[in-house]
Amino acid sequence: MKILLINSNRYYAYPTIPVGLCIIADAVENDGHDVCILDLFFSSNCKQALQDKINLYKPDIVGIGIRNIDNAAGYKTEFFLESIKNDIIIPCKKFFSGPVVIGGAAVGISGAEMLSFFGLEYAIQGEGENSFVEFIRKYKHHEVLDSIKGLIIHKNGRIVVNNPPEYIVNSKPDFLGHHVFRFIDFNKYYKRYNARLQIQTKRGCALHCVYCTYNRIEGKRFRLYEPQSIADHIEFLVHQTSIRAFEFTDNVFNIPLTHCKEVLKAIIQKKMDIDLTTMGLHPAAIDQELIDLMKQSGFKETDLGVEAACDISLKNLGKNFTKAHVLNAGELLYKNNIHINWCLLLGAPNETESTIRETIETITHAANKWDLISTGIGIRIYQGAPISDKNTSRQSLLLPVNYVPENISLEQIYDIVEEYASNHFNILIYNDYEKKHNPLSRAVSNLVYAYSQEKIFSPDLPSWQWFILYKRFMKAIDHYL
């Protein structure tokens, strides 16, 4: 059968190579089907691109990968599904009369609600490598679909099948040894957006952060990949593409700590000239040996997922570390010249002005002036996250629902962060739409962004340091205007 897979992600703030869709494509092709990926990330006209591809390719089944419901902001949330519906789902239904199956991380959170929202019949929640292939087989032979793991079926305005997701146990990374890069142009992402290739060293999460949906998407226990296989995987990709920049996208990279260290040791043995980072280090699982291994393997920067620097807030966020762990982690990274993106999430249950100020003052004191302090305001409540129990309105969590602490409003939190940001150039307020720029500032911002992506002046400079430089420059301009 001919299978068309569509990447619906068009969130330009964080260009993400659709590795998951390539894994699905590889599984489908290995089962003997013809498969093609339509990557709409770079498309200026989704409707036309869909019509052209469907008319030319004539698929039997269409699969659509949906990465995000929204931008995950807890304040002034940007909802993505409306544009996906209008620009992709509706045109797809217009030009194609066969079965359309949605999947991806977003479906793992609210798949049933998304089918109703889109007016579609099929979704696969969880890991779809096996389930989607089984769907194709059964559909081809007109067999009953009801037993497929992770399958959701929406008919006549109601959900008639909603099977638990499959969590695949596999000791090797998902596409090791397979030429999945042939499905899309990885280098296009790299050259235009300096995007990194995403690597997982495991799936699942055994932690219990109140806002998080990883447990729902990937399961509640860690499923570890073999360290040597991960290193082989990276070496393979280095040889097959021009990309040398990789990001570990585990929910938390350094837990279990022993496994993390073994992964880094295996990478070091390959003696590759690569640039590594990770979207999250756990502050309580950082020691000097880990730092040494990170530097030897290719780390120059990292995200540090602290969320807060107040023991009250950390406890209320469901964290299993303390303010002391946060400070120790920052000190170790700073002493070893690893640039830090401090990730904060303000607006925990029982948050107050006092806890907000303690967090900000602690981090601004601990952070280097060229470290970024990425500050999220408010918690977006998702289906299945522990904090969803606090959704007293009981309204659907598909549309944005944000948690508001009892003792302080999100607007007040924003004002406090703005107060500190006016004197600390390294504070970035996530999803800040209230900031207004004049034409000069927009021109300078665009120039700085372009230089940061091309890394014209300093190949080793994290892109976020250009943001700090830009803020300093604009402060000086404003002073003289």
Side-chain angles (χ1 to χ4, degrees):
M1 300 189 80
K2 299 178 73 173
I3 312 300
L4 175 62
L5 300 178
I6 299 171
N7 176 31
S8 69
N9 179 38
R10 296 175 54 74
Y11 187 38
Y12 287 94
Y14 293 94
T16 303
I17 300 171
V19 172
L21 204 63
C22 293
I23 294 170
I24 299 295
D26 189 64
V28 170
E29 188 174 76
N30 286 340
D31 200 54
H33 305 286
D34 189 297
V35 63
C36 176
I37 288 182
L38 173 61
D39 187 359
L40 294 175
F41 185 83
F42 300 99
S43 176
S44 59
N45 188 332
C46 292
K47 296 176 184 178
Q48 190 62 54
L50 278 164
Q51 183 177 15
D52 291 346
K53 177 60 71 173
I54 289 171
N55 288 342
L56 178 66
Y57 187 64
K58 294 181 173 53
D60 298 300
I61 296 174
V62 170
I64 301 177
I66 304 176
R67 185 174 186 268
N68 299 104
I69 295 173
D70 47 49
N71 64 345
Y75 179 60
K76 298 192 172 182
T77 311
E78 183 181 352
F79 187 61
F80 294 159
L81 298 188
E82 192 69 51
S83 61
I84 291 175
K85 179 179 181 178
N86 293 331
D87 296 341
I88 300 173
I89 302 295
I90 292 176
C92 185
K93 291 163 67 177
K94 177 181 178 181
F95 304 129
F96 177 69
S97 59
V100 176
V101 185
I102 58 172
V107 174
I109 299 171
S110 293
E113 294 87 349
M114 288 172 63
L115 284 179
S116 178
F117 181 81
F118 289 142
L120 292 175
E121 189 171 352
Y122 302 112
I124 292 177
Q125 58 186 336
E127 295 155 13
E129 298 95 307
N130 297 333
S131 296
F132 187 55
V133 168
E134 186 179 358
F135 178 94
I136 296 169
R137 289 176 188 164
K138 288 181 177 293
Y139 182 83
K140 178 181 179 181
H141 297 291
H142 307 286
E143 298 176 7
V144 176
L145 304 172
D146 294 10
S147 63
I148 298 173
K149 292 179 180 178
L151 182 67
I152 308 173
I153 301 179
H154 174 260
K155 282 186 177 181
N156 301 320
R158 65 188 186 93
I159 300 298
V160 296
V161 174
N162 193 348
N163 294 333
E166 178 181 26
Y167 299 124
I168 300 170
V169 178
N170 184 359
S171 62
K172 296 179 185 282
D174 300 292
F175 57 106
L176 175 66
H178 299 299
H179 301 271
V180 299
F181 59 85
R182 70 190 181 280
F183 292 113
I184 61 168
D185 186 356
F186 283 10
N187 290 310
K188 200 172 183 180
Y189 282 88
Y190 185 56
K191 291 175 181 177
R192 286 199 191 183
Y193 296 101
N194 199 32
R196 296 172 178 268
L197 268 172
Q198 304 94 43
I199 302 292
Q200 282 187 298
T201 71
K202 58 184 170 293
R203 287 184 178 181
C205 185
L207 303 180
H208 305 285
C209 304
V210 299
Y211 54 83
C212 192
T213 56
Y214 268 109
N215 300 133
R216 184 175 177 89
I217 297 171
E218 294 189 353
K220 297 181 179 180
R221 66 181 183 87
F222 293 121
R223 291 167 286 145
L224 309 179
Y225 293 145
E226 294 174 356
Q228 189 59 51
S229 295
I230 296 165
D232 292 342
H233 180 194
I234 294 173
E235 183 181 46
F236 171 81
L237 291 171
V238 166
H239 289 162
Q240 296 295 332
T241 74
S242 63
I243 296 178
R244 297 294 183 273
F246 298 87
E247 178 182 20
F248 292 106
T249 55
D250 304 13
N251 46 77
V252 57
F253 175 59
N254 55 329
I255 293 181
L257 181 57
T258 301
H259 177 259
C260 176
K261 290 178 178 179
E262 292 303 314
V263 169
L264 295 176
K265 290 174 184 177
I267 292 171
I268 291 167
Q269 290 177 352
K270 296 289 185 179
K271 298 180 179 180
M272 297 178 285
D273 181 18
I274 54 178
D275 179 12
L276 300 177
T277 189
T278 179
M279 71 176 195
L281 284 182
H282 191 287
I286 298 176
D287 58 24
Q288 188 59 53
E289 182 186 13
L290 175 66
I291 300 293
D292 292 340
L293 292 171
M294 288 173 65
K295 287 183 69 68
Q296 291 175 50
S297 60
F299 276 84
K300 300 180 182 71
E301 61 184 85
T302 184
D303 290 1
L304 185 60
V306 301
E307 319 302 4
C310 166
D311 284 332
I312 295 173
S313 299
L314 288 169
K315 181 179 179 180
N316 289 332
L317 286 169
K319 298 296 181 178
N320 61 347
F321 57 86
T322 65
K323 178 178 178 177
H325 290 122
V326 170
L327 295 175
N328 179 66
E331 184 178 3
L332 276 173
L333 291 164
Y334 175 72
K335 284 182 177 179
N336 289 274
N337 298 313
I338 295 181
H339 303 290
I340 307 171
N341 175 15
W342 300 78
C343 300
L344 303 183
L345 184 60
L346 306 179
N350 300 315
E351 194 86 86
T352 65
E353 180 176 344
S354 176
T355 61
I356 294 286
R357 291 190 182 275
E358 180 181 348
T359 284
I360 298 176
E361 289 173 9
T362 299
I363 298 302
T364 52
H365 179 75
N368 181 286
K369 66 180 180 180
W370 291 102
D371 286 345
L372 188 66
I373 304 174
S374 299
T375 309
I377 296 173
I379 296 174
R380 165 54 158 113
I381 302 177
Y382 290 107
Q383 186 70 36
I387 202 170
S388 63
D389 293 339
K390 296 183 180 295
N391 176 32
T392 56
S393 67
R394 300 304 172 193
Q395 66 189 93
S396 169
L397 295 177
L398 182 65
L399 296 173
V401 176
N402 301 326
Y403 174 75
V404 181
E406 293 181 1
N407 301 310
I408 190 169
S409 70
L410 299 181
E411 290 75 16
Q412 287 174 305
I413 296 175
Y414 177 87
D415 290 341
I416 293 171
V417 178
E418 271 282 84
E419 172 193 329
Y420 285 96
S422 64
N423 296 310
H424 294 84
F425 300 113
N426 57 345
I427 293 180
L428 168 67
I429 302 176
Y430 178 68
N431 194 35
D432 185 4
Y433 289 114
E434 291 193 6
K435 217 158 198 45
K436 307 297 182 185
H437 297 305
N438 58 42
L440 175 60
S441 70
R442 283 197 295 270
V444 173
S445 176
N446 290 337
L447 181 63
V448 167
Y449 179 79
Y451 280 148
S452 74
Q453 298 306 298
E454 294 296 334
K455 294 187 177 290
I456 290 173
F457 294 135
S458 175
D460 294 334
L461 190 67
S463 297
W464 74 64
Q465 292 192 357
W466 290 102
F467 163 79
I468 299 170
L469 181 63
Y470 158 70
K471 282 189 68 177
R472 289 178 175 274
F473 180 80
M474 292 315 304
K475 183 75 171 181
I477 291 292
D478 291 341
H479 179 74
Y480 288 104
L481 289 180

